[in-house]
């Protein structure tokens, strides 16, 4: 089975969030099951120098405004096709925005080009290779189904995975020509979305199969509360939608082998990692739990609720250590909060520090207003760092709440709260304190968490089955 994954980011080469973790881990996870997944990536300035043995397999005289070359290459264990198009991707900053944090105004064209090349490879092949399945991720790959239709490659099957429906890639209809779209398909059955052009809508309508990253988020997407205006489309396409839970890279996230931390494989030894973290951050010893957060700082993540309930956490002897960046208002509010000696905040992006935080914390807080899957609560599980999560999306699917029954049966792995309000988080933190002060219960919770399977094997099989079903259907 040959699959081309079309992605705007892919770890460890280029990452802004969980999307990259998934597109980076899936090819390796699928290998054993007879699926070869190659990944089509834009040749960002940071990506091109990392390529090993690049071989040019295709040239485009005019790829959305300039010449481009498609390279076959390897990097960091990934089997890649990379679009070298300096006019689109040879810029500083992250995949979507410049150093000033503002999105590039030509993002619709930049990722239309990614989708167009994906469809081109699926229809015509590249370097003598052609996939049976074209698997795109999020809005950046949405137009692939439109272009594939234009190329007339009816034998290729398409899958679109929704990692976050909040980003739709919507743009103005005056760009239809520039985006190389068929103007006759600007209608509700095509890529039109409330009078605008939407890459995500195009893919949602056109793909043979849709997946999203947890079963609960698949359900939620069909509701007005979470569907971001696309809930009607999701309800229409319910028959082809499945929720496949993300896994984590359990080799990279393994407390017994992690080179970034003081290693442990028993929760009793976790105290060394905690002491090291407290020393690193200048936090004193404390009676209550050390709570950690590793997160983008956006409204979605509910971090304002943490600020609101912080006095309650501190009053019970708890501590807070935060790593994240994003919304300037939230960044500043956390900086202010760090004046308290029991609060430490680091604004920025730091892989190694994120490992030390998750290893050293007693609990990890993920109070998201919505969360398609979420990865950090799974890192928490693997490290015996008890997740305290909102009851939504993938957080609901990965954490078994410490109800009296679940504790009695020995299956509880964390704490869930609903609704996503400061009041409910406050109660969850009180519950956390109670559990933490009961050492037997606490260590049982940690052991259950660490024993929970959070790797890729089950989900990789689900993707492999999906590809097989699609291609056998013919
Ligand atoms: P999202 O994709 O919505 O940002 P996820 O929980 O799915 O949320 O994935 C976030 C990923 O990014 C995780 O791997 C997390 O560890 C990582 N991450 C987020 N913020 C930071 C940061 N400031 N430093 C290091 N890693 C981070």
């Amino acid at each position: 089975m040959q699959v081309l994954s079309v992605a705007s980011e892919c770890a460890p080469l280029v990452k802004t969030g969980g999307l990259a973790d998934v597109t980076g881990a899936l090819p390796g996870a699928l290998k054993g099951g007879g699926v070869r997944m190659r990944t089509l990536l834009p040749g960002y300035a940071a990506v091109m120098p990392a390529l090993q043995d690049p071989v040019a397999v295709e040239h485009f005289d005019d790829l959305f405004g300039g010449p481009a070359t498609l390279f076959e290459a390897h990097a960091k264990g990934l089997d890649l096709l990379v679009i070298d198009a300096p006019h689109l991707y040879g810029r500083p900053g992250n995949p979507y925005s410049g150093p000033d944090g503002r999105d590039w105004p030509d993002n619709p064209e930049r990722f239309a080009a990614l989708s167009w090349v994906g469809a081109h490879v699926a229809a015509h092949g590249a370097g003598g290779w052609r996939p049976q399945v074209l698997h795109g991720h999020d809005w950046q790959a949405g137009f692939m189904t439109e272009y594939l239709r234009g190329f007339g490659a009816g034998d290729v099957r398409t899958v679109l995975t929704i990692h976050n429906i909040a980003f739709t890639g919507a743009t103005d209809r005056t760009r239809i020509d520039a985006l190389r779209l068929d103007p006759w398909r600007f209608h509700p059955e095509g890529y039109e979305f409330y009078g605008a052009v939407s890459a995500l809508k195009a893919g949602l309508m056109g793909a043979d199969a849709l997946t999203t990253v947890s079963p609960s988020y698949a359900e939620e997407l069909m509701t007005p509360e979470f569907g971001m205006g696309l809930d009607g489309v999701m309800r229409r396409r319910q028959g082809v939608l499945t929720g496949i839970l993300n896994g984590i890279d359990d080799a990279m996230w393994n407390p017994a082998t992690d080179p970034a931390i003081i290693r442990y494989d028993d929760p009793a030894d976790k105290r060394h990692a905690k002491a090291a973290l407290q020393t690193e951050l200048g936090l004193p010893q404390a009676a209550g739990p050390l709570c950690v957060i590793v997160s983008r700082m956006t409204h979605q993540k509910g971090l304002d609720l943490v600020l609101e309930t912080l006095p309650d956490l501190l009053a019970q002897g708890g501590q807070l250590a935060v790593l994240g960046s994003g919304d300037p208002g939230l960044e500043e509010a956390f900086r202010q909060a760090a004046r308290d000696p029991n609060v430490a905040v680091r604004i920025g992006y730091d892989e190694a520090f994120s490992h030390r935080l998750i290893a050293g914390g007693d609990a990890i807080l993920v109070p998201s207003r919505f969360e398609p899957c979420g990865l950090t609560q799974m890192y928490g599980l693997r490290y015996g760092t008890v997740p305290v999560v909102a009851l939504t999306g993938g957080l609901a699917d990965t954490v078994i709440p410490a109800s009296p029954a679940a504790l009695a049966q020995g299956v509880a792995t964390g704490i869930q709260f609903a609704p996503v309000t400061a009041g409910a988080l406050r109660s969850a933190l009180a519950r956390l304190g109670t559990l933490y002060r009961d050492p037997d219960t606490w260590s049982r919770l940690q052991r259950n968490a660490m024993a929970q399977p959070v790797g890729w094997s089950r989900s990789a099989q689900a993707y492999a089955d999906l590809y097989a079903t699609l291609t056998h259907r013919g």
Side-chain angles (χ1 to χ4, degrees), residues 6 21 23-24 138 147 149 196 346 384 438 449:
V6 179
D21 291 298
T23 57
D138 273 350
Y147 301 132
R149 178 184 274 266
R346 200 173 283 182
D438 174 353

Side-chain angles (χ1 to χ4, degrees), residues 22 34 104 109 111 114 155 181 219 349 360 414 426:
V22 176
W104 298 110
E109 286 80 6
F111 296 105
L114 173 70
D155 59 334
L181 294 167
E219 294 290 324
Y349 189 94
R426 195 170 287 121

Side-chain angles (χ1 to χ4, degrees), residues 15-19 21 253 294-296 300-301 323-325 348-351 354 371 374-376 379:
K15 166 170 164 177
T16 72
L19 165 64
D21 291 298
W253 289 93
V294 177
S295 182
R296 289 187 293 121
Q300 174 196 340
K301 300 292 180 179
L323 168 65
S325 65
Y349 189 94
D350 186 336
E351 284 292 328
S354 75
E371 194 58 79
L375 295 173
T376 61
Y379 302 154

Side-chain angles (χ1 to χ4, degrees), residues 271 273-286 288 290 319 360:
R271 63 181 192 283
K274 176 175 179 179
L277 181 64
Q278 285 174 317
T279 304
E280 176 179 357
L281 296 176
L283 292 171
Q285 300 294 315
L290 169 54
Q319 297 179 315

Side-chain angles (χ1 to χ4, degrees), residues 399-403 405-414 444-445 448-449 452:
V399 175
I400 302 170
S403 66
L407 278 173
Q409 286 172 28
V411 294
T413 60
R444 228 175 320 132
L445 204 52
N448 293 345
Q452 185 160 319

Side-chain angles (χ1 to χ4, degrees), residues 1-5 35-38 129 131 133 135 467:
M1 176 69 66
Q2 307 287 328
V3 181
L4 181 63
S5 167
V35 177
R36 179 191 187 191
M37 175 175 272
R38 306 184 84 182
W129 179 84
V133 177
H135 183 168
Y467 303 144

